[in-house]
Amino acid sequence: MLPIRPIANLALRNAAFISRGYQAGGQHHQITTVNDLPTPEGDFFEHHNKKQTKYNATLAAGILIFGITLTIAKESGLIYLNFYPPKSID
């Protein structure tokens, strides 16, 4: 059976290495409040309209590319969209 004292000494020596210190240098942690949050600056609508312009251009480009792809696939015979019932049963 192993003696208890060497195991206890080893555990005490490595306790500082294993433990976590979330405060640097033992300083007290400052409690965060709502006053510490950033406040918005600038005109909201100007920023919103700039972002919406970019999003709308991306949407238009996506719709255009989808339409071109669908047209090319239909015209090449890759897909058949079944717009009308077949002319013959065969």
Side-chain angles (χ1 to χ4, degrees):
M1 184 164 159
L2 293 173
I4 300 296
R5 182 172 282 183
I7 296 173
N9 285 339
L10 182 64
L12 288 174
R13 270 189 279 146
N14 290 332
F17 179 72
I18 295 171
S19 68
R20 296 180 180 176
Y22 292 106
Q23 293 82 25
Q27 298 172 351
H28 294 291
H29 179 69
Q30 179 182 1
I31 297 174
T32 306
T33 63
V34 176
N35 293 332
D36 296 326
L37 294 174
T39 56
E41 296 176 0
D43 187 21
F44 167 78
F45 292 107
E46 180 182 330
H47 181 66
H48 176 72
N49 289 335
K50 187 187 296 185
K51 285 174 53 177
Q52 284 303 104
T53 302
K54 184 179 95 171
Y55 296 152
N56 288 337
T58 304
L59 177 64
I63 290 171
L64 181 67
I65 290 171
F66 176 73
I68 291 170
T69 304
L70 187 65
T71 303
I72 290 173
K74 183 184 176 303
E75 293 300 320
S76 69
L78 186 63
I79 58 172
Y80 181 69
L81 298 177
N82 294 320
F83 283 136
Y84 306 106
K87 293 181 182 176
S88 66
I89 297 179
D90 295 333

